[in-house]
């Protein structure tokens, strides 16, 4: 049975490129209000313009998801301006190779601050409004990389594993009131994967990746994995291959 309500007000982080940009375009339509977050203001405003051409009302928030105060402020302004919230997509993320900074923990700190804490800081400010309304969807763009510790991608994999577990816990806490969905894509052709030196099987375009959220959102699924096999078993992934994305 379909359970999803109409989606009118949407907040997306990492909307200045890649999957986030594709999601913004995908949801842009007359009657919709979309909040867009990213650090590169020019790129964000270019995406906003595309969304407006499709009939959506758009509010841009040039901000860093690692800055809890900035994101809380953006969420608060957006909630007031839009008069509610239906869908939040914590999509902003980075991928760094573990050997970029040998000898210190700079890479894990940066990756966890963005991919894990940044997502948490994006979703939390919207929880009270959604709980009060008894509706809405909180979505985190995680990755199939969150299932195993892959070579030279320990920080990235750990950040997505942490996000998966945190979302699982949030889902239980908000069960019956707010929909909480973890999205685990495989390889998607974006700036993040453009310089990967290894083959990327089942590569999707960012538009395909964005479109694949639609039905799971409508049916309020808890977790989806797409593009590539579910990495649950021993033989599902060659750990020597490495993965960034
Ligand atoms: N591409 C893949 O194969 C793949 C696979 C699985 C999961 N994912 C996940 O999908 C999400 C989107 O990645 P993508 O592939 O679309 O990469 P992308 O094209 O590099 O986009 C990343 C987005 O995140 C934003 N961002 C990064 N750090 C940020 C920060 N501190 N504050 C605010 N925004 C920030 C970037 O905007 P600014 O630079 O303007 O801030 C950009 O809009 C990520 O969470 C990634 O881990 C990607």
């Amino acid at each position: 049975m379909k359970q999803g309500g109409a989606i009118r007000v949407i907040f997306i982080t990492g909307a200045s490129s890649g999957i986030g940009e594709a999601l913004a375009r995908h949801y842009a339509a007359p009657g919709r209000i979309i909040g867009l977050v990213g650090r590169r203001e020019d790129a964000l405003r270019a995406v906003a313009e595309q969304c407006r051409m499709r009939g959506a009302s758009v509010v841009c928030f040039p901000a860093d998801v690692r800055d809890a105060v900035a994101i809380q402020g953006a969420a608060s302004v957006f909630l007031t301006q839009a008069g509610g919230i239906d869908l939040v997509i914590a999509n902003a993320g980075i991928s760094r190779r573990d050997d970029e900074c040998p000898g210190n923990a700079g890479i894990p700190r940066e990756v966890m601050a963005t991919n894990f804490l940044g997502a948490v800081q994006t979703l939390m400010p919207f929880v009270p409004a959604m709980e009060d309304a008894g509706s809405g969807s909180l979505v985190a763009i995680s990755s199939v990389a969150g299932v195993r510790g892959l070579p030279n991608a320990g920080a990235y994999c750990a950040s997505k594993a942490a996000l998966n577990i945190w979302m699982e816990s949030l889902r239980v806490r908000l069960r019956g009131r707010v929909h909480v969905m973890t999205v685990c894509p495989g390889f998607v052709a974006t700036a993040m994967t453009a310089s990967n030196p290894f083959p990327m099987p089942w590569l999707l375009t960012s538009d395909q990746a964005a479109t694949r959220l639609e039905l799971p959102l409508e049916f309020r699924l808890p977790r989806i994995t797409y593009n590539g096999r579910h990495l649950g078993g021993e033989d599902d992934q060659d750990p020597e291959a490495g993965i960034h994305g």
Side-chain angles (χ1 to χ4, degrees):
M1 193 175 80
K2 292 182 183 181
Q3 297 168 5
I7 295 174
R8 193 180 68 86
V9 183
I10 304 140
F11 189 84
I12 305 169
T13 66
S16 52
S17 64
I19 298 169
E21 174 183 353
L23 283 164
R25 274 198 313 267
H26 179 75
Y27 282 107
R32 287 205 165 125
I33 306 172
I34 309 181
L36 303 177
V37 177
R39 293 165 301 176
R40 287 168 294 155
E41 188 166 353
D42 288 353
L44 201 63
R45 297 211 180 279
V47 175
E49 205 38 51
Q50 291 180 51
C51 294
R52 288 189 189 106
M53 302 267 283
R54 291 170 182 235
S57 300
V58 185
V59 189
C60 283
F61 298 99
D64 189 325
V65 295
R66 293 171 297 180
D67 183 340
V69 174
I71 294 302
Q72 177 90 43
S76 164
V77 167
F78 187 64
L79 276 167
T80 304
Q81 286 187 2
I85 184 73
D86 298 311
L87 171 62
V88 181
I89 306 178
N91 163 77
I94 55 169
S95 179
R96 294 278 183 276
R97 294 173 186 281
D98 293 337
D99 62 6
E100 274 181 47
C101 275
N104 68 61
I107 295 294
R109 252 203 322 271
E110 188 186 343
V111 173
M112 289 298 286
T114 306
N115 296 2
F116 175 59
L117 282 177
V120 171
Q121 286 166 181
T122 297
L123 297 174
M124 287 309 283
F126 292 98
V127 169
M130 286 193 177
E131 278 198 290
D132 286 350
S135 66
S137 290
L138 296 168
V139 173
I141 305 297
S142 181
S143 168
V144 293
V147 178
R148 294 178 82 170
L150 297 161
N152 216 5
Y156 185 77
C157 294
S159 71
K160 296 301 188 180
L163 185 56
N164 293 347
I165 295 295
W166 186 80
M167 289 293 283
E168 192 173 278
S169 173
L170 185 68
R171 184 175 308 120
V172 175
R173 178 158 79 81
L174 301 181
R175 182 180 286 156
R177 293 167 288 163
V178 178
H179 171 220
V180 176
M181 183 166 83
T182 311
V183 177
C184 297
F187 289 116
V188 182
T190 66
M192 183 178 283
T193 51
S195 60
N196 278 354
F198 45 79
M200 293 185 281
W202 305 293
L203 187 71
L204 288 178
T205 66
S206 53
D207 285 327
Q208 288 171 324
T211 306
R212 291 200 180 194
L213 264 65
E214 193 159 310
L215 274 179
L217 270 172
E218 192 173 346
F219 285 91
R220 297 172 77 85
L221 298 187
R223 176 182 171 123
I224 57 166
T225 300
Y226 58 78
N227 180 25
R229 290 169 288 181
H230 180 74
L231 304 183
E234 283 298 302
D235 300 319
D236 284 336
Q237 173 77 29
D238 171 7
E240 299 306 314
I243 185 170
H244 279 267

